[in-house]
Amino acid sequence: MQPIIDTELWLAHKRRALGHPVAGADFLMRRAAEDLADRLGAVERRFGKAAVLFCQTPAAADMVAASGKAAEIVRVEADAAFLDGRPGLVAPLETVPFQPESLDLAVSLLSLQAMNDIPGMLVQIRRALRPDGLFLGAFAGAGTLSELRESLLAAETELYGGASPRVIPFTDVRDAGALLQRAGFALPVADVETVTVRYDTLFDLTADLRAMGETSALTDRSRRPGARTLFARAAEIYAERFSDIDGRIRASFSVVWMSGWAPDASQQKPLKPGSAKVSLKTILEDPGGR
């Protein structure tokens, strides 16, 4: 499989961001961790062993711990630097370093979008879960940074007569649900939440992306540095097309959430075709149920 993402470069960007922290730049991770707490709170059970996979910060693990939903929590990161001296495992990105049926809960926040083999990663997670174990994951999905993508494309086409990819492709929420099914999860659910953030200029947005460690890590990215004129023109186009009445620009981040359970005989099963006691025709003709 031809890799789309240069994962070593993505990790280098993350390490650089870790070494130069910017207050507030972790807003997406903090929001995802808060959403994780809400989703765990809706599950009426406690888990034995939980794994928090490649979340880059302690936010997800801390939220699982605060929920009281897991007796044991193991963090897994691709670099010891992300553990920041806390206990955890170091493993290559896109691997799940656990024996089959050894986990009760697996969590992944904002890293799947950087993986080249998302289906393979989901299969590994499902295999590591015990029967009736739960997976909860969130990643940047289709629509993320659509304004930036459009502005850069328009500016580069205008200035150079062609364009290079500068924003990674993102997975659609419908594809996310299909990926869960393909990986063998039961009761798969995928939904999306769009977060709109406002900035003074394109340059303030790219500064935040750099502070997140989320600048382009495409394998087929242009190797020549972007000219100042390119980004200046892109900033003008961005302001023309995506600014509010006060002049500030909008940036969209679409967070796709996935949940699925490792199959177990105790789980609800769909009814067999033809087993319904009341036909749809009867319901439609008699809404009152008489």
Side-chain angles (χ1 to χ4, degrees):
M1 182 180 65
Q2 180 67 30
I4 297 173
I5 309 297
D6 184 339
T7 53
E8 286 303 314
L9 180 61
W10 183 78
L11 287 170
H13 289 167
K14 291 292 182 179
R15 285 190 288 266
R16 181 183 64 189
L18 182 67
H20 300 85
V22 176
D26 62 342
F27 65 90
L28 274 182
M29 180 60 75
R30 285 188 284 107
R31 184 175 183 126
E34 291 168 1
D35 287 348
L36 171 65
D38 291 340
R39 290 167 189 266
L40 274 175
V43 180
E44 295 182 355
R45 61 172 286 188
R46 294 189 77 254
F47 301 92
K49 186 175 182 179
V52 179
L53 303 168
F54 306 112
C55 296
Q56 313 133 50
T57 81
D62 290 347
M63 201 60 77
V64 174
S67 74
K69 292 286 187 175
E72 178 186 0
I73 303 168
V74 181
R75 278 185 67 192
V76 180
E77 297 291 356
D79 192 308
F82 301 138
L83 293 171
D84 194 27
R86 296 192 186 191
L89 301 177
V90 176
L93 195 68
E94 302 195 37
T95 63
V96 179
F98 297 97
Q99 294 296 316
E101 299 188 7
S102 62
L103 300 176
D104 301 290
L105 172 67
V107 170
S108 173
L109 298 188
L110 303 184
S111 63
L112 283 170
Q113 76 275 358
M115 298 186 185
N116 287 296
D117 186 10
I118 298 176
M121 184 66 179
L122 293 176
V123 168
Q124 290 182 71
I125 292 171
R126 197 261 303 156
R127 287 176 179 167
L129 287 170
R130 294 188 179 99
D132 208 31
L134 174 63
F135 166 62
L136 287 172
F139 62 92
T144 295
L145 299 176
S146 57
E147 304 91 348
L148 179 62
R149 185 196 304 271
E150 181 178 326
S151 300
L152 286 169
L153 177 63
E156 197 163 11
T157 302
E158 177 186 310
L159 294 173
Y160 305 125
S164 303
R166 295 183 181 274
V167 179
I168 67 172
F170 295 105
T171 302
D172 184 85
V173 64
R174 291 167 296 184
D175 294 331
L179 287 172
L180 286 168
Q181 290 182 312
R182 177 178 167 186
F185 283 98
L187 309 174
V189 176
D191 61 88
V192 62
E193 178 189 11
T194 299
V195 180
T196 301
V197 185
R198 302 202 313 145
Y199 292 91
D200 289 335
T201 69
L202 174 148
F203 300 104
D204 297 292
L205 165 60
T206 55
D208 249 10
L209 294 175
R210 191 174 298 108
M212 294 178 196
E214 290 292 351
T215 46
S216 179
L218 284 166
T219 301
D220 291 335
R221 67 193 179 280
S222 174
R223 273 10 187 217
R224 74 180 178 196
R228 185 175 301 176
T229 52
L230 168 63
F231 287 101
R233 180 59 185 134
E236 292 173 349
I237 293 171
Y238 205 131
E240 291 165 5
R241 299 183 183 182
F242 304 109
S243 62
D244 291 328
I245 193 168
D246 60 359
R248 303 191 78 199
I249 62 170
R250 303 180 299 276
S252 298
F253 297 88
S254 295
V255 180
V256 175
W257 276 93
M258 312 168 79
S259 69
W261 297 81
D264 183 70
S266 66
Q267 292 164 349
Q268 290 181 323
K269 302 292 190 298
L271 294 174
K272 293 180 180 179
S275 63
K277 293 184 171 62
V278 180
S279 71
L280 179 61
K281 181 175 182 289
T282 300
I283 295 172
L284 293 176
E285 291 177 350
D286 185 10
R290 297 186 297 274

